[in-house]
Amino acid sequence: MTEPRIDDLAQALADRARPAVGVWNRLEGRPRTTDFTRALRAEVRDALWMVTRQWQLGEFRGSDAGSPVTATYSVAACPPDRFRPHGAAAGPLPRDRPLETVAERRPLPFAFGTDPIGFDLRLAIGRRWMKLLGGSAVLGNLVFDFRGQYVKRYPIAPPDPAKDADAPRVAHPEVWATLQAVAGRRMDGYLLYRHIKDGGRASDGINDLLHLHYPALDALGEDLVAWFDGLIDQPAGDTTWDPRRLEHRFSVAAAAPDGGEKVLTAQEYPGGELDWHAFSVDPGTPVGGTAPPPPPLNRTVFPAPVRYQGMPLPRWWALEDGGTNFAAVAPDSTDLARLIFLEFALVYSNDWYQLPCDLPAGTVARVQGLAVTDVFGQRLWITPAGTGSDEDWQRWSMFTLDTIGTEDVPADTGLFLPPGVPKVADGPPLEEVSLVRDENANLVWGLERTVRLATGEGHRGSELAAAIQAHHLRLHPPAPPDDPLAPVAYQAMNSVPQNWIPFIPVHVPGDNRSIQLQRAAMPHVVGSLPPVQPRTALLREGLDLPQPRGYFVNEEEVPQSGTRITVAYNRARWRDGRVSVWLAAHRGTGRGEGSSGLAFDLLIDTPGPER
């Protein structure tokens, strides 16, 4: 088909009588000789064609402003100096250690009820005390006499295999061998440490004829306490761990630029990585005691375009870095985050600028003002993109904190840089507890997968439970059965391993619908012994108090997949080189449901000759 001839081309273009869509896929040189030099120049002799290409790509469209020349900003930055565990009194926030240490540290357990544990630390404190005695020039030739007296005054008692209470220290062969080796030969350093911490003196009970060495012993006792307190961080008061919710809860506070205070609360911190997203602005619970804020930081800087690997280059005939292949990104229609990222990378990447602003770690900062001067000499006042109501679902911001509550309050546009560390080294788990749901028994079980031995290291909970149960059965062998009258017998309930701690559903006081989980106890296989108690500090909550109390867990904290909690030593190095070591609990995701095998109303075979 032949196209009709256009006599008046200008009029046809004005009337758009023959609309057409032009598509250019590639423009490349076409060499006609063996020399590629001229072809690679991509020469264009038609200036009108270049102008048309600029119009086609929208380069003649008006923009909001010219490129920025300078930018002046004012930033109010204040370090947080107050710390408050949930439901406890506030105190100063230490600045000589990471915030992870202050938030996660928990006291070291040295006894489960009347059963002493932690003999690794007990012996370490005792060895340190002996070194202090040996290194003292004041004590003279009485060092060996003093050492013997301290071993007798603070002894390590050997466990008795004939006592049921000593079964955890006798049933395991390694624990039994270790305690047999050190009993009567080494001192229990923790007893001395505890005596000094409770107001006693290191010289109490030590025989010194002339009483000349008591001041030296007391001074060494203070050195011993300072050494152990600096070795492992422990909380001086309440901890941040909420046993009912199985997570850490605490608040930090800093002075606000307006003279008040800004409280940031971590409501659901599971442990591990502590960053800004773990905090929320808490306007309803003031902490008090914050120091006055420092003066704001005012600075004029030169903005620089945002650059990243693989971004489109601003010049023609420039090839982008092939290390980033945006064409390989295949987002779904609902993957909004990836779509926004692609739009930024491919469309608006040359519209973003960055301003240098160095802030020290451990500050709560807010940009009070930002003025930009463009190439036309105009000054523009820039407001934060995340301003507006905090409850506005269409508000968009990055790296900002939400506000606790549902009140219609202005959104917080501040930035929090926690005084933390980029990496924390985790030790082997000393305790591991899995809270699993057992739909067959209609219970939640606290499965102690890893328990702490008396010597300090973690061990498989099922093996230790089986060893303790076997030791109890050796001490209390079951009576031989009489001649049964029937080949089967009725059993009301079978038993489960001792490392399975039951949690039964009960009503919340004053509420007939809400359910909480209460720690219970299984009867011992030896009927004369008390019920089975947990062997982990996580599940012994409330048992070791002077007045033992029950332990409750919110039902929603144990989902269908369960939850997993571990206790281990953590280690990190602070910015001044100081090493911090603390004992912490971390919460993670469980592995699904479980079955304990608990059953009721059973018929079991009775021993005896076949009938």
Side-chain angles (χ1 to χ4, degrees):
M1 180 178 180
T2 305
E3 290 290 337
R5 179 179 177 181
I6 301 177
D7 297 329
D8 191 351
L9 181 59
Q11 185 64 31
L13 291 175
D15 298 340
R16 297 184 178 180
R18 299 275 193 266
V21 178
V23 178
W24 295 269
N25 291 329
R26 170 178 281 183
L27 182 66
E28 59 185 14
R30 186 179 179 183
R32 301 178 182 272
T33 63
T34 57
D35 186 8
F36 286 85
T37 303
R38 183 176 180 182
L40 293 178
R41 294 175 184 172
E43 299 175 351
V44 177
R45 292 181 172 83
D46 189 354
L48 181 60
W49 180 89
M50 183 62 73
V51 174
T52 306
R53 292 288 289 173
Q54 289 180 296
W55 169 81
Q56 180 187 18
L57 297 178
E59 294 187 8
F60 296 148
R61 297 178 182 177
S63 57
D64 296 334
S67 299
V69 176
T70 59
T72 303
Y73 60 78
S74 177
V75 177
C78 183
D81 56 358
R82 301 290 289 174
F83 181 84
R84 181 182 61 191
H86 177 73
L93 177 62
R95 298 188 180 182
D96 58 347
R97 64 202 67 187
L99 183 57
E100 290 89 346
T101 304
V102 184
E104 298 179 1
R105 59 185 179 179
R106 53 191 296 122
L108 302 174
F110 285 92
F112 285 161
T114 59
D115 185 15
I117 63 171
F119 281 94
D120 55 341
L121 295 178
R122 293 173 182 266
L123 291 172
I125 301 175
R127 287 194 298 268
R128 181 69 178 184
W129 177 247
M130 294 302 175
K131 285 186 176 181
L132 291 176
L133 292 179
S136 175
V138 180
L139 299 179
N141 298 326
L142 299 178
V143 171
F144 293 100
D145 181 60
F146 284 144
R147 287 179 177 177
Q149 293 188 55
Y150 278 105
V151 171
K152 292 180 180 180
R153 179 166 177 81
Y154 304 102
I156 296 179
D160 189 355
K163 292 184 178 180
D164 293 306
D166 292 345
R169 290 176 289 160
V170 175
H172 196 276
E174 296 180 5
V175 177
W176 167 251
T178 302
L179 296 182
Q180 284 291 100
V182 300
R185 300 179 179 89
R186 294 291 183 267
M187 68 170 290
D188 190 339
Y190 177 72
L191 297 181
L192 174 61
Y193 168 82
R194 192 73 264 165
H195 175 74
I196 300 174
K197 290 284 286 187
D198 294 339
R201 296 180 300 177
S203 60
D204 293 341
I206 301 302
N207 185 17
D208 186 11
L209 295 180
L210 300 179
H211 298 181
L212 298 178
H213 301 92
Y214 284 165
L217 292 175
D218 296 339
L220 292 180
E222 298 297 329
D223 294 341
L224 178 69
V225 171
W227 168 79
F228 187 70
D229 289 343
L231 181 65
I232 302 176
D233 278 301
Q234 298 188 69
D238 297 323
T239 64
T240 64
W241 179 256
D242 189 348
R244 175 179 282 272
R245 301 180 59 173
L246 305 177
E247 55 204 6
H248 302 275
R249 303 177 65 190
F250 60 94
S251 302
V252 296
D258 56 1
E261 69 173 3
K262 188 172 185 178
V263 182
L264 304 178
T265 300
Q267 303 181 91
E268 300 177 352
Y269 173 52
E273 180 183 356
L274 182 59
D275 211 338
W276 64 270
H277 46 73
F279 295 88
S280 300
V281 179
D282 193 352
T285 55
V287 174
T290 56
L297 173 65
N298 303 321
R299 182 175 297 177
T300 300
V301 296
F302 295 96
V306 174
R307 304 293 301 174
Y308 56 89
Q309 185 179 6
M311 71 175 299
L313 298 180
R315 296 185 57 188
W316 285 98
W317 321 120
L319 301 179
E320 290 81 5
D321 184 9
T324 303
N325 186 7
F326 292 102
V329 181
D332 297 330
S333 58
T334 58
D335 196 350
L336 298 181
R338 193 172 299 181
L339 291 173
I340 293 175
F341 169 76
L342 289 178
E343 187 177 16
F344 160 76
L346 300 176
V347 180
Y348 301 105
S349 59
N350 58 345
D351 295 340
W352 293 80
Y353 292 84
Q354 59 181 355
L355 308 179
C357 181
D358 296 332
L359 294 176
T363 54
V364 180
R366 183 169 65 89
V367 179
Q368 295 181 314
L370 174 61
V372 176
T373 304
D374 60 18
V375 294
F376 303 113
Q378 297 181 350
R379 300 194 67 185
L380 304 176
W381 185 259
I382 308 299
T383 58
T387 55
S389 175
D390 185 71
E391 294 296 315
D392 186 5
W393 67 273
Q394 293 182 328
R395 185 178 66 88
W396 184 88
S397 64
M398 292 181 64
F399 307 110
T400 56
L401 305 176
D402 65 317
T403 303
I404 299 176
T406 58
E407 292 80 7
D408 189 11
V409 296
D412 187 273
T413 57
L415 177 67
F416 181 41
L417 300 176
V421 291
K423 180 62 177 178
V424 175
D426 299 330
L430 303 179
E431 296 182 5
E432 179 182 352
V433 173
S434 295
L435 294 175
V436 297
R437 289 189 175 271
D438 185 358
E439 297 298 340
N440 294 331
N442 194 22
L443 291 174
V444 170
W445 295 93
L447 179 55
E448 296 179 323
R449 299 186 182 273
T450 302
V451 299
R452 191 196 310 260
L453 295 178
T455 51
E457 65 270 13
H459 191 73
R460 188 185 297 271
S462 57
E463 293 182 2
L464 184 60
I468 294 176
Q469 179 174 327
H471 183 75
H472 284 148
L473 291 177
R474 284 193 298 268
L475 296 178
H476 306 277
D482 298 332
D483 187 18
L485 300 179
V488 294
Y490 170 77
Q491 186 180 26
M493 181 184 67
N494 63 353
S495 62
V496 299
Q498 292 189 6
N499 62 319
W500 289 67
I501 308 301
F503 283 77
I504 59 177
V506 296
H507 284 291
V508 175
D511 196 331
N512 294 328
R513 298 181 62 88
S514 300
I515 297 295
Q516 59 182 351
L517 303 174
Q518 181 181 7
R519 181 189 58 206
M522 293 293 295
H524 205 283
V525 291
V526 179
S528 60
L529 296 180
V532 178
Q533 291 187 350
R535 296 294 307 171
T536 57
L538 291 170
L539 298 186
R540 292 185 63 87
E541 186 70 32
L543 281 179
D544 300 325
L545 298 176
Q547 295 294 333
R549 63 177 182 222
Y551 177 34
F552 298 89
V553 177
N554 295 339
E555 187 192 23
E556 62 270 14
E557 301 299 335
V558 186
Q560 206 72 17
S561 60
T563 188
R564 174 177 172 266
I565 311 170
T566 59
V567 173
Y569 284 109
N570 291 349
R571 184 180 186 272
R573 188 180 296 274
W574 192 226
R575 62 187 65 161
D576 58 355
R578 180 181 183 272
V579 175
S580 295
V581 179
W582 68 98
L583 187 67
H586 294 175
R587 179 181 177 180
T589 306
R591 302 178 182 178
E593 299 181 6
S595 177
S596 62
L598 181 64
F600 303 90
D601 301 328
L602 302 175
L603 289 179
I604 61 174
D605 295 331
T606 56
E610 296 183 359
R611 299 182 182 275

